[in-house]
Amino acid sequence: MSRTDSSDNTKLFSYHSHSGQFCNHAKGTLEQVVQAAIDRRFTSLGLSEHMPRYKPDQLYPEEAHLTTQDLQLLFDDYLTEAARLKEKYKDQIEIVIGFETEYFGHESITYIQNLRQPQRKRFTPTGASMGHFDTALPTVQYIVGSLHHLRGIPIDFSKELYLKAFEDVGKGSWQTLFEVYFDEQFQLIQGVQPEVIGHFDLIRLFFDAIQQVGDNQVRGELSGKLWDLVQRNIGSVVGYGGLFELNSRSWKKGMLDAYPSRDIIAAIKAAGGRFTLSDDSHGPDDIGMFYDPKLKDYLERMGIDEVFYLVATHTTPQPSGSESFRHVEAKSVLVKDLRFQ
């Protein structure tokens, strides 16, 4: 089925996806992910493999056999394959090429900016610690702004590591842990202005682990200073027109709400923020995961009647300024026109 074959204007899309070809904890090839989206009758799909981490201590245990150079080469291979698939399936689905960020401190901002520079050259190794830059890589059209670590400690990998962050970063205070998370998220938002904000409140994922080791009456309510930080971050994203993803993967993790939770959604709505849809798929079987009925019902329950999708722009980027929304633009669609089945 081509994109022009549809008898109506209904749409479905996701701008957060991974494949086992380029992500060690995902499954399937990137092409299988694209084919699954076509089978699911998606009209648009954002490809967003993780950016390469750039220091050895940032690698996960599953990547012990890799080097940071391996990750860089794999990422460049991803961009090349994404461009191939974008062209191959252009009559069946709109593909936009992006990546999901990491954040390990301010140096990550510069690294992200370098990764999305137009006409960035591919590094080809020729020997130990040697190589050259040759062909230009495909353009990165957008980024998903996420952080998965606090002071180098993963917060979404396991409850054990989350508790380590609670002790080492939060100093035994969940409020302090959350403050650090939202402060570092703010630095990421300000530094690179991501087109899509990934799982805004990921810090809540393993909060029950804190309840199990401490006061089980702690509810993790965002109030006072914490709520001020949340509203500050929301305001920054709204200011440049970024999109907040409604991420359905949280339900696979056993959470009550999608990311973000309903209190933050209400604040985003009040600030005039814009939403998009993401399944945060980690393989072809995850495409459209929990969209119907859970995400559909969540949208209705939260009173969201409009969401946004990305389309490529065809204007020539200027040589200076932010890369945000230079290669894509956001267009709106009514929730009632989404094709959930």
Side-chain angles (χ1 to χ4, degrees):
M1 184 187 73
S2 74
R3 283 189 286 147
T4 57
D5 285 341
S6 180
S7 60
D8 56 30
N9 294 319
T10 55
K11 297 179 180 297
L12 205 60
F13 41 86
S14 172
Y15 295 103
H16 193 157
S17 64
H18 304 282
S19 72
Q21 186 175 356
F22 300 105
C23 174
N24 276 277
H25 58 270
K27 297 179 180 179
T29 65
L30 194 62
E31 184 158 14
Q32 287 170 338
V33 169
V34 171
Q35 291 170 338
I38 294 170
D39 291 343
R40 184 70 174 76
R41 302 178 71 199
F42 273 36
T43 47
S44 180
L45 178 67
L47 304 180
S48 61
E49 300 287 10
H50 290 283
M51 72 177 235
R53 277 151 284 114
Y54 48 89
K55 292 181 179 179
D57 61 1
Q58 297 168 354
L59 274 60
Y60 289 110
E62 66 194 29
E63 297 166 331
H65 61 294
L66 300 174
T67 67
T68 55
Q69 185 180 88
D70 291 332
L71 293 183
Q72 180 64 65
L73 295 173
L74 188 67
F75 182 76
D76 290 352
D77 287 344
Y78 152 65
L79 292 178
T80 301
E81 175 67 355
R84 183 186 76 83
L85 297 174
K86 180 180 175 70
E87 174 64 23
K88 179 177 180 178
Y89 294 102
K90 65 183 180 181
D91 294 329
Q92 296 174 268
I93 191 169
E94 175 83 16
I95 291 176
V96 288
I97 301 173
F99 66 83
E100 185 179 14
T101 69
E102 306 285 357
Y103 185 82
F104 297 98
H106 190 72
E107 76 277 1
S108 294
I109 301 299
T110 301
Y111 192 74
I112 293 166
Q113 290 169 339
N114 289 338
L115 284 178
R116 70 178 308 185
Q117 282 298 310
Q119 301 298 304
R120 182 174 67 84
K121 301 292 186 180
R122 180 189 192 91
F123 178 77
T124 300
T126 57
S129 302
M130 298 181 64
H132 62 273
F133 294 92
D134 44 32
T135 56
L137 289 160
T139 298
V140 173
Q141 296 173 283
Y142 81 107
I143 59 174
V144 178
S146 305
L147 60 154
H148 307 89
H149 304 74
L150 290 181
R151 310 288 163 80
I153 303 173
I155 58 171
D156 65 338
F157 190 77
S158 68
K159 287 188 177 183
E160 291 74 19
L161 286 172
Y162 186 89
L163 286 174
K164 179 175 174 58
F166 172 62
E167 295 295 343
D168 294 0
V169 179
K171 307 303 180 185
S173 164
W174 74 265
Q175 292 96 335
T176 300
L177 182 70
F178 277 43
E179 285 177 17
V180 173
Y181 175 84
F182 287 118
D183 275 339
E184 297 206 348
Q185 183 184 64
F186 183 66
Q187 295 304 315
L188 177 66
I189 290 169
Q190 290 282 94
V192 297
Q193 295 187 340
E195 286 85 352
V196 176
I197 302 300
H199 33 60
F200 186 97
D201 53 352
L202 182 67
I203 191 61
R204 284 172 152 165
L205 174 57
F206 291 128
F207 186 75
D208 65 319
I210 295 176
Q211 294 171 312
Q212 291 167 11
V213 300
D215 181 0
N216 61 15
Q217 298 303 310
V218 171
R219 300 301 182 193
E221 294 179 0
L222 303 179
S223 59
K225 181 181 179 180
L226 274 179
W227 190 243
D228 290 341
L229 298 181
V230 168
Q231 292 186 306
R232 175 200 62 187
N233 292 10
I234 290 171
S236 180
V237 177
V238 172
Y240 70 83
L243 307 180
F244 297 88
E245 69 169 11
L246 294 164
N247 184 319
S248 64
R249 189 171 182 81
S250 64
W251 287 309
K252 189 169 186 176
K253 302 287 188 176
M255 300 184 74
L256 176 64
D257 293 340
Y259 302 115
S261 299
R262 60 193 72 192
D263 55 345
I264 294 176
I265 286 181
I268 293 171
K269 288 180 61 182
R274 308 190 296 178
F275 297 98
T276 190
L277 307 182
S278 290
D279 51 31
D280 198 352
S281 57
H282 280 61
D285 291 344
D286 287 350
I287 291 292
M289 175 177 58
F290 295 115
Y291 271 28
D292 184 32
K294 290 183 80 75
L295 186 59
K296 178 182 179 182
D297 293 345
Y298 195 61
L299 289 165
E300 181 177 351
R301 188 163 63 249
M302 297 309 303
I304 298 171
D305 55 15
E306 179 186 52
V307 292
F308 289 77
Y309 61 100
L310 298 176
V311 296
T313 58
H314 301 288
T315 57
T316 302
Q318 298 303 308
S320 62
S322 171
E323 286 295 308
S324 185
F325 287 104
R326 295 177 73 185
H327 305 285
V328 291
E329 61 180 314
K331 293 190 175 183
S332 66
V333 60
L334 295 177
V335 170
K336 69 179 181 65
D337 290 332
L338 296 175
R339 183 196 297 118
F340 281 102
Q341 296 182 341

